[in-house]
Amino acid sequence: MNVESFNLDHRTVAAPYVRVADRKVLPQGDVITKYDVRFTQPNVAHLDMKAIHSLEHLFAEHSRNHSTAVLDFSPMGCQTGYYLILQGEPELPQVLSLIEATLTEILDASEVPAANEVQCGWGANHSLEGAQDAARAFLAQRAEWENVTA
């Protein structure tokens, strides 16, 4: 299939993990790399929608304090994680450090950025506490992030 994640056997992965999901060389030679940042075990657990939405806003804002390579941080429709898209081909240790620094910073946030009707398409659908709980749980399993399969 054309979509990389559709070719991934979701029964064989062991969340939480971070893995390279795709690399693209653009027509002018620029490279972008997409990382699968999986918070929960596929088909077993999922994140609450308000937590997902808030963590998306928080990570999108705070990750740029740690890297100029961040292009996007998008939630998966299955509610089990996110796609982190970065410019270039950073080594996995750099990406893990970026994620760790960002999630740690999120734990100290006092509000969800742009969680209002002017800056967000569903401004009422947020939970700072839920986002921080998800970040805390992911950080607590930091030693497992590089192990994609059991």
Side-chain angles (χ1 to χ4, degrees):
M1 299 193 80
N2 293 322
V3 178
E4 186 275 340
S5 67
F6 295 168
N7 295 308
L8 176 68
D9 186 340
H10 287 72
R11 299 168 300 177
T12 65
V13 298
Y17 64 79
V18 178
R19 72 178 183 90
V20 173
D22 199 9
R23 281 194 175 92
K24 296 273 189 235
V25 178
L26 303 179
Q28 298 299 316
D30 295 320
V31 177
I32 59 172
T33 307
K34 178 172 79 171
Y35 296 86
D36 174 345
V37 183
R38 196 70 62 144
F39 276 65
T40 65
Q41 185 62 33
N43 299 299
V44 173
H46 66 278
L47 297 170
D48 172 76
M49 196 58 218
K50 286 185 177 187
I52 287 172
H53 191 189
S54 296
L55 192 55
E56 173 197 11
H57 278 231
L58 286 155
F59 198 98
E61 181 66 20
H62 291 279
S63 63
R64 288 166 170 89
N65 294 334
H66 304 282
S67 175
T68 58
V70 176
L71 298 177
D72 193 33
F73 187 71
S74 303
M76 297 175 179
C78 60
Q79 298 176 238
T80 62
Y82 299 84
Y83 288 114
L84 173 60
I85 301 174
L86 300 174
Q87 180 182 17
E89 298 181 81
E91 296 293 325
L92 189 58
Q94 289 177 279
V95 176
L96 299 179
S97 292
L98 166 63
I99 293 168
E100 183 173 16
T102 302
L103 293 178
T104 300
E105 187 175 322
I106 286 169
L107 295 180
D108 294 328
S110 59
E111 65 180 2
V112 176
N116 60 68
E117 292 182 7
V118 173
Q119 296 172 296
C120 178
W122 194 5
N125 186 50
H126 286 280
S127 170
L128 175 61
E129 181 180 320
Q132 289 173 325
D133 287 347
R136 194 173 293 107
F138 195 72
L139 283 166
Q141 298 178 74
R142 171 64 179 89
E144 300 172 32
W145 292 0
E146 294 183 66
N147 301 322
V148 177
T149 57

PDB file of all heavy atoms in Angstrom, residues 4-14 17 19 36 38 41-44 76 78 80 83:
ATOM      1  N   GLU A   4       2.811   4.181   4.456  1.00  0.00           N
ATOM      2  CA  GLU A   4       3.753   3.325   5.188  1.00  0.00           C
ATOM      3  C   GLU A   4       3.100   2.640   6.378  1.00  0.00           C
ATOM      4  O   GLU A   4       3.297   1.449   6.602  1.00  0.00           O
ATOM      5  CB  GLU A   4       4.955   4.163   5.657  1.00  0.00           C
ATOM      6  CG  GLU A   4       6.071   3.367   6.304  1.00  0.00           C
ATOM      7  CD  GLU A   4       5.881   3.090   7.787  1.00  0.00           C
ATOM      8  OE1 GLU A   4       5.091   3.803   8.442  1.00  0.00           O
ATOM      9  OE2 GLU A   4       6.518   2.147   8.302  1.00  0.00           O
ATOM     10  N   SER A   5       2.322   3.351   7.154  1.00  0.00           N
ATOM     11  CA  SER A   5       1.733   2.753   8.357  1.00  0.00           C
ATOM     12  C   SER A   5       0.717   1.668   8.037  1.00  0.00           C
ATOM     13  O   SER A   5       0.451   0.804   8.874  1.00  0.00           O
ATOM     14  CB  SER A   5       1.104   3.827   9.250  1.00  0.00           C
ATOM     15  OG  SER A   5      -0.006   4.409   8.615  1.00  0.00           O
ATOM     16  N   PHE A   6       0.156   1.696   6.842  1.00  0.00           N
ATOM     17  CA  PHE A   6      -0.778   0.629   6.447  1.00  0.00           C
ATOM     18  C   PHE A   6      -0.039  -0.683   6.186  1.00  0.00           C
ATOM     19  O   PHE A   6      -0.632  -1.749   6.162  1.00  0.00           O
ATOM     20  CB  PHE A   6      -1.577   1.013   5.209  1.00  0.00           C
ATOM     21  CG  PHE A   6      -2.526   2.187   5.396  1.00  0.00           C
ATOM     22  CD1 PHE A   6      -3.106   2.772   4.290  1.00  0.00           C
ATOM     23  CD2 PHE A   6      -2.828   2.686   6.651  1.00  0.00           C
ATOM     24  CE1 PHE A   6      -3.985   3.836   4.433  1.00  0.00           C
ATOM     25  CE2 PHE A   6      -3.698   3.755   6.809  1.00  0.00           C
ATOM     26  CZ  PHE A   6      -4.274   4.327   5.686  1.00  0.00           C
ATOM     27  N   ASN A   7       1.270  -0.583   5.988  1.00  0.00           N
ATOM     28  CA  ASN A   7       2.095  -1.768   5.776  1.00  0.00           C
ATOM     29  C   ASN A   7       2.745  -2.276   7.064  1.00  0.00           C
ATOM     30  O   ASN A   7       3.430  -3.287   7.052  1.00  0.00           O
ATOM     31  CB  ASN A   7       3.185  -1.462   4.745  1.00  0.00           C
ATOM     32  CG  ASN A   7       2.575  -1.163   3.391  1.00  0.00           C
ATOM     33  OD1 ASN A   7       1.779  -1.938   2.880  1.00  0.00           O
ATOM     34  ND2 ASN A   7       2.921  -0.020   2.823  1.00  0.00           N
ATOM     35  N   LEU A   8       2.511  -1.568   8.156  1.00  0.00           N
ATOM     36  CA  LEU A   8       3.052  -1.942   9.458  1.00  0.00           C
ATOM     37  C   LEU A   8       2.075  -2.894  10.145  1.00  0.00           C
ATOM     38  O   LEU A   8       0.888  -2.591  10.250  1.00  0.00           O
ATOM     39  CB  LEU A   8       3.222  -0.681  10.320  1.00  0.00           C
ATOM     40  CG  LEU A   8       3.684  -0.880  11.756  1.00  0.00           C
ATOM     41  CD1 LEU A   8       5.122  -1.375  11.799  1.00  0.00           C
ATOM     42  CD2 LEU A   8       3.543   0.433  12.529  1.00  0.00           C
ATOM     43  N   ASP A   9       2.561  -4.031  10.588  1.00  0.00           N
ATOM     44  CA  ASP A   9       1.706  -4.946  11.337  1.00  0.00           C
ATOM     45  C   ASP A   9       1.588  -4.407  12.758  1.00  0.00           C
ATOM     46  O   ASP A   9       2.499  -4.545  13.570  1.00  0.00           O
ATOM     47  CB  ASP A   9       2.295  -6.357  11.345  1.00  0.00           C
ATOM     48  CG  ASP A   9       1.372  -7.381  11.980  1.00  0.00           C
ATOM     49  OD1 ASP A   9       0.455  -6.998  12.758  1.00  0.00           O
ATOM     50  OD2 ASP A   9       1.563  -8.587  11.730  1.00  0.00           O
ATOM     51  N   HIS A  10       0.464  -3.784  13.048  1.00  0.00           N
ATOM     52  CA  HIS A  10       0.249  -3.130  14.333  1.00  0.00           C
ATOM     53  C   HIS A  10       0.154  -4.129  15.487  1.00  0.00           C
ATOM     54  O   HIS A  10       0.203  -3.725  16.645  1.00  0.00           O
ATOM     55  CB  HIS A  10      -1.005  -2.253  14.267  1.00  0.00           C
ATOM     56  CG  HIS A  10      -0.807  -1.002  13.464  1.00  0.00           C
ATOM     57  ND1 HIS A  10      -0.689  -1.015  12.097  1.00  0.00           N
ATOM     58  CD2 HIS A  10      -0.689   0.283  13.848  1.00  0.00           C
ATOM     59  CE1 HIS A  10      -0.516   0.218  11.666  1.00  0.00           C
ATOM     60  NE2 HIS A  10      -0.515   1.034  12.716  1.00  0.00           N
ATOM     61  N   ARG A  11       0.060  -5.400  15.186  1.00  0.00           N
ATOM     62  CA  ARG A  11       0.029  -6.424  16.239  1.00  0.00           C
ATOM     63  C   ARG A  11       1.420  -6.735  16.765  1.00  0.00           C
ATOM     64  O   ARG A  11       1.552  -7.332  17.838  1.00  0.00           O
ATOM     65  CB  ARG A  11      -0.611  -7.710  15.701  1.00  0.00           C
ATOM     66  CG  ARG A  11      -2.057  -7.524  15.227  1.00  0.00           C
ATOM     67  CD  ARG A  11      -2.527  -8.722  14.448  1.00  0.00           C
ATOM     68  NE  ARG A  11      -1.658  -8.898  13.272  1.00  0.00           N
ATOM     69  CZ  ARG A  11      -1.762  -9.900  12.407  1.00  0.00           C
ATOM     70  NH1 ARG A  11      -2.674 -10.841  12.581  1.00  0.00           N
ATOM     71  NH2 ARG A  11      -0.951  -9.978  11.372  1.00  0.00           N
ATOM     72  N   THR A  12       2.456  -6.344  16.020  1.00  0.00           N
ATOM     73  CA  THR A  12       3.828  -6.713  16.402  1.00  0.00           C
ATOM     74  C   THR A  12       4.584  -5.611  17.123  1.00  0.00           C
ATOM     75  O   THR A  12       5.672  -5.863  17.626  1.00  0.00           O
ATOM     76  CB  THR A  12       4.637  -7.127  15.159  1.00  0.00           C
ATOM     77  OG1 THR A  12       4.776  -5.988  14.295  1.00  0.00           O
ATOM     78  CG2 THR A  12       3.962  -8.275  14.425  1.00  0.00           C
ATOM     79  N   VAL A  13       4.021  -4.404  17.161  1.00  0.00           N
ATOM     80  CA  VAL A  13       4.720  -3.306  17.819  1.00  0.00           C
ATOM     81  C   VAL A  13       4.419  -3.306  19.317  1.00  0.00           C
ATOM     82  O   VAL A  13       3.428  -3.895  19.756  1.00  0.00           O
ATOM     83  CB  VAL A  13       4.354  -1.941  17.191  1.00  0.00           C
ATOM     84  CG1 VAL A  13       4.778  -1.894  15.732  1.00  0.00           C
ATOM     85  CG2 VAL A  13       2.881  -1.633  17.348  1.00  0.00           C
ATOM     86  N   ALA A  14       5.306  -2.660  20.073  1.00  0.00           N
ATOM     87  CA  ALA A  14       5.148  -2.588  21.526  1.00  0.00           C
ATOM     88  C   ALA A  14       5.322  -1.145  21.973  1.00  0.00           C
ATOM     89  O   ALA A  14       6.440  -0.669  22.154  1.00  0.00           O
ATOM     90  CB  ALA A  14       6.155  -3.498  22.220  1.00  0.00           C
ATOM     91  N   TYR A  17       6.955   3.834  21.736  1.00  0.00           N
ATOM     92  CA  TYR A  17       8.175   3.797  20.937  1.00  0.00           C
ATOM     93  C   TYR A  17       8.239   5.001  20.027  1.00  0.00           C
ATOM     94  O   TYR A  17       7.243   5.713  19.837  1.00  0.00           O
ATOM     95  CB  TYR A  17       8.276   2.507  20.111  1.00  0.00           C
ATOM     96  CG  TYR A  17       7.192   2.346  19.080  1.00  0.00           C
ATOM     97  CD1 TYR A  17       7.243   3.016  17.856  1.00  0.00           C
ATOM     98  CD2 TYR A  17       6.113   1.505  19.303  1.00  0.00           C
ATOM     99  CE1 TYR A  17       6.250   2.860  16.906  1.00  0.00           C
ATOM    100  CE2 TYR A  17       5.108   1.347  18.355  1.00  0.00           C
ATOM    101  CZ  TYR A  17       5.182   2.026  17.162  1.00  0.00           C
ATOM    102  OH  TYR A  17       4.188   1.877  16.221  1.00  0.00           O
ATOM    103  N   ARG A  19       9.915   5.643  16.094  1.00  0.00           N
ATOM    104  CA  ARG A  19      10.595   5.012  14.963  1.00  0.00           C
ATOM    105  C   ARG A  19      10.493   5.901  13.735  1.00  0.00           C
ATOM    106  O   ARG A  19       9.565   6.716  13.612  1.00  0.00           O
ATOM    107  CB  ARG A  19      10.002   3.640  14.644  1.00  0.00           C
ATOM    108  CG  ARG A  19       8.631   3.694  14.018  1.00  0.00           C
ATOM    109  CD  ARG A  19       8.063   2.319  13.654  1.00  0.00           C
ATOM    110  NE  ARG A  19       6.772   2.507  13.003  1.00  0.00           N
ATOM    111  CZ  ARG A  19       6.603   2.655  11.687  1.00  0.00           C
ATOM    112  NH1 ARG A  19       7.636   2.587  10.869  1.00  0.00           N
ATOM    113  NH2 ARG A  19       5.400   2.840  11.191  1.00  0.00           N
ATOM    114  N   ASP A  36       7.176   8.093  13.807  1.00  0.00           N
ATOM    115  CA  ASP A  36       6.000   7.526  14.461  1.00  0.00           C
ATOM    116  C   ASP A  36       6.294   7.593  15.959  1.00  0.00           C
ATOM    117  O   ASP A  36       7.171   6.903  16.453  1.00  0.00           O
ATOM    118  CB  ASP A  36       5.838   6.081  13.979  1.00  0.00           C
ATOM    119  CG  ASP A  36       4.750   5.275  14.658  1.00  0.00           C
ATOM    120  OD1 ASP A  36       4.237   5.677  15.723  1.00  0.00           O
ATOM    121  OD2 ASP A  36       4.425   4.200  14.120  1.00  0.00           O
ATOM    122  N   ARG A  38       4.654   6.746  19.132  1.00  0.00           N
ATOM    123  CA  ARG A  38       3.504   5.941  19.571  1.00  0.00           C
ATOM    124  C   ARG A  38       3.383   5.953  21.087  1.00  0.00           C
ATOM    125  O   ARG A  38       4.235   5.470  21.795  1.00  0.00           O
ATOM    126  CB  ARG A  38       3.672   4.511  19.060  1.00  0.00           C
ATOM    127  CG  ARG A  38       2.413   3.702  19.117  1.00  0.00           C
ATOM    128  CD  ARG A  38       1.373   4.149  18.116  1.00  0.00           C
ATOM    129  NE  ARG A  38       1.855   3.999  16.748  1.00  0.00           N
ATOM    130  CZ  ARG A  38       1.092   3.646  15.725  1.00  0.00           C
ATOM    131  NH1 ARG A  38      -0.191   3.390  15.897  1.00  0.00           N
ATOM    132  NH2 ARG A  38       1.619   3.556  14.519  1.00  0.00           N
ATOM    133  N   GLN A  41      -0.550   1.312  23.011  1.00  0.00           N
ATOM    134  CA  GLN A  41      -0.527   0.085  22.230  1.00  0.00           C
ATOM    135  C   GLN A  41      -1.694   0.063  21.243  1.00  0.00           C
ATOM    136  O   GLN A  41      -2.851   0.133  21.654  1.00  0.00           O
ATOM    137  CB  GLN A  41      -0.593  -1.140  23.152  1.00  0.00           C
ATOM    138  CG  GLN A  41      -0.450  -2.453  22.430  1.00  0.00           C
ATOM    139  CD  GLN A  41       0.899  -2.604  21.717  1.00  0.00           C
ATOM    140  OE1 GLN A  41       1.916  -2.116  22.169  1.00  0.00           O
ATOM    141  NE2 GLN A  41       0.886  -3.275  20.589  1.00  0.00           N
ATOM    142  N   PRO A  42      -1.415  -0.038  19.936  1.00  0.00           N
ATOM    143  CA  PRO A  42      -2.487  -0.087  18.945  1.00  0.00           C
ATOM    144  C   PRO A  42      -3.498  -1.205  19.235  1.00  0.00           C
ATOM    145  O   PRO A  42      -3.128  -2.299  19.654  1.00  0.00           O
ATOM    146  CB  PRO A  42      -1.750  -0.350  17.627  1.00  0.00           C
ATOM    147  CG  PRO A  42      -0.389   0.226  17.859  1.00  0.00           C
ATOM    148  CD  PRO A  42      -0.091  -0.061  19.309  1.00  0.00           C
ATOM    149  N   ASN A  43      -4.744  -0.883  19.037  1.00  0.00           N
ATOM    150  CA  ASN A  43      -5.869  -1.807  19.188  1.00  0.00           C
ATOM    151  C   ASN A  43      -6.059  -2.316  20.613  1.00  0.00           C
ATOM    152  O   ASN A  43      -6.838  -3.239  20.848  1.00  0.00           O
ATOM    153  CB  ASN A  43      -5.760  -2.977  18.203  1.00  0.00           C
ATOM    154  CG  ASN A  43      -5.766  -2.489  16.777  1.00  0.00           C
ATOM    155  OD1 ASN A  43      -6.735  -1.875  16.340  1.00  0.00           O
ATOM    156  ND2 ASN A  43      -4.689  -2.714  16.059  1.00  0.00           N
ATOM    157  N   VAL A  44      -5.356  -1.703  21.566  1.00  0.00           N
ATOM    158  CA  VAL A  44      -5.499  -2.065  22.970  1.00  0.00           C
ATOM    159  C   VAL A  44      -5.913  -0.855  23.795  1.00  0.00           C
ATOM    160  O   VAL A  44      -6.808  -0.938  24.634  1.00  0.00           O
ATOM    161  CB  VAL A  44      -4.184  -2.660  23.531  1.00  0.00           C
ATOM    162  CG1 VAL A  44      -4.279  -2.890  25.036  1.00  0.00           C
ATOM    163  CG2 VAL A  44      -3.840  -3.953  22.806  1.00  0.00           C
ATOM    164  N   MET A  76      -2.418  10.948  15.215  1.00  0.00           N
ATOM    165  CA  MET A  76      -2.913   9.840  14.402  1.00  0.00           C
ATOM    166  C   MET A  76      -4.419   9.710  14.616  1.00  0.00           C
ATOM    167  O   MET A  76      -4.899   9.866  15.738  1.00  0.00           O
ATOM    168  CB  MET A  76      -2.235   8.539  14.821  1.00  0.00           C
ATOM    169  CG  MET A  76      -0.762   8.522  14.597  1.00  0.00           C
ATOM    170  SD  MET A  76      -0.051   6.993  15.262  1.00  0.00           S
ATOM    171  CE  MET A  76       1.655   7.240  14.823  1.00  0.00           C
ATOM    172  N   CYS A  78      -6.111   7.124  14.809  1.00  0.00           N
ATOM    173  CA  CYS A  78      -6.404   6.006  15.700  1.00  0.00           C
ATOM    174  C   CYS A  78      -6.231   6.383  17.171  1.00  0.00           C
ATOM    175  O   CYS A  78      -6.525   5.576  18.064  1.00  0.00           O
ATOM    176  CB  CYS A  78      -5.524   4.800  15.374  1.00  0.00           C
ATOM    177  SG  CYS A  78      -3.760   5.135  15.529  1.00  0.00           S
ATOM    178  N   THR A  80      -3.554   6.786  18.947  1.00  0.00           N
ATOM    179  CA  THR A  80      -2.514   6.067  19.680  1.00  0.00           C
ATOM    180  C   THR A  80      -1.175   6.801  19.682  1.00  0.00           C
ATOM    181  O   THR A  80      -0.253   6.362  20.364  1.00  0.00           O
ATOM    182  CB  THR A  80      -2.311   4.645  19.120  1.00  0.00           C
ATOM    183  OG1 THR A  80      -1.875   4.739  17.766  1.00  0.00           O
ATOM    184  CG2 THR A  80      -3.572   3.822  19.217  1.00  0.00           C
ATOM    185  N   TYR A  83       2.561  11.840  14.502  1.00  0.00           N
ATOM    186  CA  TYR A  83       3.643  11.870  13.534  1.00  0.00           C
ATOM    187  C   TYR A  83       4.401  13.169  13.744  1.00  0.00           C
ATOM    188  O   TYR A  83       3.817  14.249  13.733  1.00  0.00           O
ATOM    189  CB  TYR A  83       3.130  11.785  12.097  1.00  0.00           C
ATOM    190  CG  TYR A  83       2.607  10.416  11.752  1.00  0.00           C
ATOM    191  CD1 TYR A  83       1.264  10.219  11.480  1.00  0.00           C
ATOM    192  CD2 TYR A  83       3.461   9.323  11.723  1.00  0.00           C
ATOM    193  CE1 TYR A  83       0.781   8.955  11.174  1.00  0.00           C
ATOM    194  CE2 TYR A  83       2.983   8.060  11.422  1.00  0.00           C
ATOM    195  CZ  TYR A  83       1.650   7.885  11.152  1.00  0.00           C
ATOM    196  OH  TYR A  83       1.181   6.638  10.862  1.00  0.00           O
TER     197      TYR A  83
END
